[in-house]
Amino acid sequence: MEKKGEHIILIGFMGAGKTTLGKKLARRLELEFVDTDEMVESQTGQTISDIFARKGEAYFRSLETDMLRQLGQREKRCVVAVGGGLPMQAENRPLLKELGTVIFLETGVETLVQRLKNDTKRPKLQGGDLRERIVTLMNEREAVYRRVADVCVSTDNRSYGSILEEMISKTEK
Ligand code: S3P
C-alpha cells in the first residue's frame, strides 16, 4: 500500500465551509492552503460555470482528477479543500486517501439552504428548488463522504474556533 501523505484534506457538501475553514486551519498550522476549484480555474483560465457550460461536467471531473494527481506530487505539507463532488468519482477516492488525513465537514440541509440560497456560481445548484437539489445530492453523497473520511466534524451552529479545535485535535497527534 502507498504511504499515506501528510496533507489535510477537507471534503463535504457545497457550502459546508471547506474553503473558509481550510484557510483558517492552514493559517493556524502555518501551512499553505490549496483549493482544487481555484486550481482548475487558474489553470484553465475559465470559471467553473464556463467549463460546465462549454465542456460539460464530465470534463470538469477529469480536471479535478488531474488536480489531485498534481497535489500528490507536492512535497510541502498543505491544507486542501476539494470540490463537493470530487469524492464521488471512484478513481479519486484512493487518491484522496493517499494524500493524507481526510476530514468530512458535516453540515445539515437547513444550514446549507441558508448558506447557498443566493448562490449563482455553482452549476449543480442552479434551477429548480434549491432544497430539493441539496437533498437529492446529499442522499447520493453522504455515505461516500463518510466512507472516504478518516475524521468527521460537524459544523452546524458552532463557532469557527470550536470547529478548528476539533479538527486540530483529531488530526495532529
Ligand atoms: C461541486 C462543488 C463545487 C465545484 C463545482 C461542483 C459539486 O465546489 O467544484 O461547482 O458537484 O458539489 P464547492 O464544494 O467548493 O462549492
Side-chain angles (χ1 to χ4, degrees), residues 12-15 18-19 37 48 52 60-61 64 82-85 121-124 141:
F13 207 81
M14 295 169 268
K18 301 180 294 286
T19 303
D37 288 336
I48 289 170
F52 265 73
F60 172 73
R61 298 300 173 195
E64 287 190 309
V82 304
K121 296 202 167 120
R122 292 175 171 95
K124 300 293 281 182
R141 292 179 174 186

Side-chain angles (χ1 to χ4, degrees), residues 155-172:
T155 67
D156 278 353
N157 304 314
R158 293 180 67 182
S159 68
Y160 288 139
S162 131
I163 300 168
L164 277 185
E165 288 313 322
E166 187 176 344
M167 291 202 286
I168 290 168
S169 74
K170 286 182 165 172
T171 52
E172 305 294 291

Side-chain angles (χ1 to χ4, degrees), residues 60-114:
F60 172 73
R61 298 300 173 195
S62 74
L63 294 176
E64 287 190 309
T65 303
D66 291 347
M67 300 308 129
L68 273 189
R69 292 193 196 283
Q70 286 180 25
L71 289 170
Q73 304 299 313
R74 207 183 151 100
E75 301 258 309
K76 204 162 157 205
R77 188 174 187 227
C78 57
V79 176
V80 184
V82 304
L86 183 146
M88 300 310 293
Q89 310 304 305
E91 65 181 316
N92 292 345
R93 291 177 209 144
L95 297 175
L96 282 169
K97 288 278 199 197
E98 280 162 25
L99 268 187
T101 305
V102 180
I103 303 180
F104 167 38
L105 295 179
E106 269 181 85
T107 312
V109 170
E110 288 318 312
T111 307
L112 294 174
V113 171
Q114 287 314 311

Side-chain angles (χ1 to χ4, degrees), residues 14-32:
M14 295 169 268
K18 301 180 294 286
T19 303
T20 306
L21 286 162
K23 284 183 178 164
K24 288 181 187 295
L25 182 64
R27 203 173 309 133
R28 178 74 180 272
L29 298 177
E30 298 184 0
L31 300 175
E32 255 179 69

Side-chain angles (χ1 to χ4, degrees), residues 39-50:
M39 288 173 76
V40 166
E41 291 191 333
S42 73
Q43 291 188 23
T44 59
Q46 293 178 55
T47 64
I48 289 170
S49 301
D50 282 341

